[in-house]
Amino acid sequence: MPPTVIRRKTGQRVLVVALVVMAFFLLTASTLLQPLEPSTTVPVTIEIPPAATAADVAQLLKEQGLIRSACAFRLLGKFTGQEKMIKAGQYCLAPSETPQDILQTLARGQTVNKEVKVTIPEGYTVRQMARLLAAQGITDETEFLAVAKDGGLVSDYFGNVASSEIDWQWEGFFFPDTYFLLPNTPAEEIAQKMLRRMDEVWAEEIQGLTNLPAGLSPRELITLASLVEREAKVAAERPLIAAVFYNRLHKKMPLQSCATVQYLFPEPKPVLSEEDTKALSPYNTYLHSGLPPGPIAAPGRAAIRAVLRPSNSEKLYFVAKPDGSHAFSITYEEHLENQRKYQTK
């Protein structure tokens, strides 16, 4: 038999085998992607954790009797590109739904309307808030940071244009509080809610004041409050720390707040070096007099109250003690003595 004929027959056999395999695969895939129980509409509530992988989700769906095959579900996710779009949260799904429908629900984040309790600690930065909200499945971390940077949010008190030197226009203005939030909420909605809460607290705290202290604007006072928030470890010391900062501003002395230097690093350092205090940044209050360009964190109500109603004191310095409290002094000599007493190992 001529070689050409042999090759033609061999090719035909390979094609036939390939078509048979493909048909078997399509038939199997079609079966596996059918609803597990077409007549069962009773919903099953499942919780997808924030850190769950696509494999984890597929296995969870299989264990809960919602899909026939975890492998087929993952292949579907890869083929459609929705595998990486699955969002954390609580879902109500039924065995009568197809894997395609279930995958779409998970990718769109169509969760049960169950609010999640989220507490934003006092002194958090927008980066820390974004990570916390994302970990709780509330909103996207990148989107929240984008809104914090230059989002078109509305405020009754803090809407004036921020300094061009700041990285985050709304740093410090998302009030640290306990919120009840729906999973997969748009970042702008979350940010606006937290900014509105800051407006409310500010309105409550300025009641009874004829003028704002030192002629500072609301934005500048929140900036000062953020320094008090990060410096004070003992609640009773907040008004006194605020007084020290006011006294230094009045005398045109650099604030020399370690907290503003710490803000320059991705993670706080246990101890700042002398070299750290020379870092080139408008936020470095060792190098630049006056307030930093904007807040370094979100101050709580007590810190805001402290800058609005500081102690009546002439103190100009404070030194941290090992227990977190501070030693305050008026003269530089007293300050040096406190440093030797409390900070020399």
Side-chain angles (χ1 to χ4, degrees):
M1 186 177 297
T4 302
V5 175
I6 294 174
R7 283 196 296 272
R8 185 180 298 126
K9 289 187 175 182
T10 302
Q12 290 173 344
R13 291 194 191 96
V14 171
L15 179 59
V16 170
V17 171
L19 289 173
V20 170
V21 171
M22 184 178 294
F24 176 77
F25 175 80
L26 291 174
L27 180 62
T28 303
S30 176
T31 301
L32 293 176
L33 294 178
Q34 292 299 311
L36 187 63
E37 297 290 344
S39 61
T40 304
T41 58
V42 178
V44 176
T45 301
I46 65 167
E47 183 79 31
I48 295 181
T53 64
D56 295 334
V57 173
Q59 186 59 38
L60 176 62
L61 294 172
K62 179 70 169 63
E63 291 173 354
Q64 294 295 319
L66 291 165
I67 60 174
R68 295 176 182 273
S69 168
C71 181
F73 186 83
R74 285 206 62 192
L75 289 174
L76 177 65
K78 288 182 181 296
F79 180 76
T80 61
Q82 292 176 302
E83 183 183 54
K84 296 180 180 180
M85 298 167 62
I86 295 175
K87 297 175 176 62
Q90 191 176 68
Y91 295 84
C92 273
L93 305 168
S96 59
E97 296 180 81
T98 67
Q100 295 94 319
D101 291 338
I102 292 175
L103 180 60
Q104 191 171 60
T105 297
L106 300 181
R108 289 179 176 175
Q110 295 172 321
T111 58
V112 178
N113 289 333
K114 179 182 178 182
E115 292 182 328
V116 178
K117 181 181 178 181
V118 181
T119 298
I120 306 294
E122 296 171 347
Y124 255 35
T125 64
V126 292
R127 288 190 181 92
Q128 290 173 308
M129 291 181 188
R131 286 196 294 268
L132 176 60
L133 291 168
Q136 295 286 335
I138 301 302
T139 196
D140 181 79
E141 180 176 353
T142 303
E143 290 179 7
F144 186 85
L145 289 176
V147 172
K149 189 176 184 65
D150 53 16
L153 305 179
V154 178
S155 170
D156 294 334
Y157 300 98
F158 312 108
N160 56 308
V161 178
S163 167
S164 60
E165 296 178 310
I166 68 171
D167 289 330
W168 314 95
Q169 178 181 352
W170 298 107
E171 176 79 271
F173 298 97
F174 300 147
F175 189 71
D177 205 349
T178 296
Y179 297 90
F180 292 88
L181 307 168
L182 292 174
N184 304 305
T185 301
E188 188 167 355
E189 184 177 330
I190 298 295
Q192 184 64 69
K193 183 183 185 74
M194 297 168 72
L195 178 57
R196 282 296 185 197
R197 181 64 182 134
M198 177 63 85
D199 278 349
E200 293 171 359
V201 172
W202 180 262
E204 292 166 2
E205 291 301 322
I206 63 173
Q207 284 186 2
L209 291 179
T210 305
N211 298 298
L212 296 180
L216 298 180
S217 70
R219 266 190 174 266
E220 289 172 327
L221 286 166
I222 292 297
T223 298
L224 184 56
S226 73
L227 270 63
V228 173
E229 184 65 65
R230 294 304 295 264
E231 291 281 7
K233 306 301 179 187
V234 177
E237 291 184 350
R238 289 191 180 102
L240 186 52
I241 289 176
V244 170
F245 286 142
Y246 277 122
N247 293 338
R248 295 180 75 92
L249 287 172
H250 179 71
K251 292 180 177 292
K252 300 189 184 307
M253 298 172 63
L255 296 184
Q256 295 186 323
S257 168
C258 292
T260 63
V261 179
Q262 290 282 13
Y263 183 66
L264 306 180
F265 302 103
E267 297 295 335
K269 289 189 172 185
V271 179
L272 290 175
S273 67
E274 185 177 348
E275 192 64 28
D276 290 333
T277 62
K278 298 176 182 177
L280 297 177
S281 169
Y283 280 88
N284 187 344
T285 55
Y286 279 84
L287 297 182
H288 301 279
S289 59
L291 293 169
I296 58 172
R301 184 186 290 270
I304 294 172
R305 183 174 296 169
V307 300
L308 291 174
R309 296 170 174 81
S311 297
N312 183 14
S313 170
E314 297 181 356
K315 305 292 186 183
L316 288 170
Y317 305 90
F318 57 83
V319 171
K321 298 179 182 179
D323 64 359
S325 64
H326 293 85
F328 296 84
S329 56
I330 296 177
T331 68
Y332 186 59
E333 290 70 27
E334 290 175 320
H335 178 62
L336 291 178
E337 179 59 31
N338 285 334
Q339 283 185 324
R340 286 190 290 269
K341 185 175 181 179
Y342 297 110
Q343 295 187 341
T344 303
K345 294 182 179 180

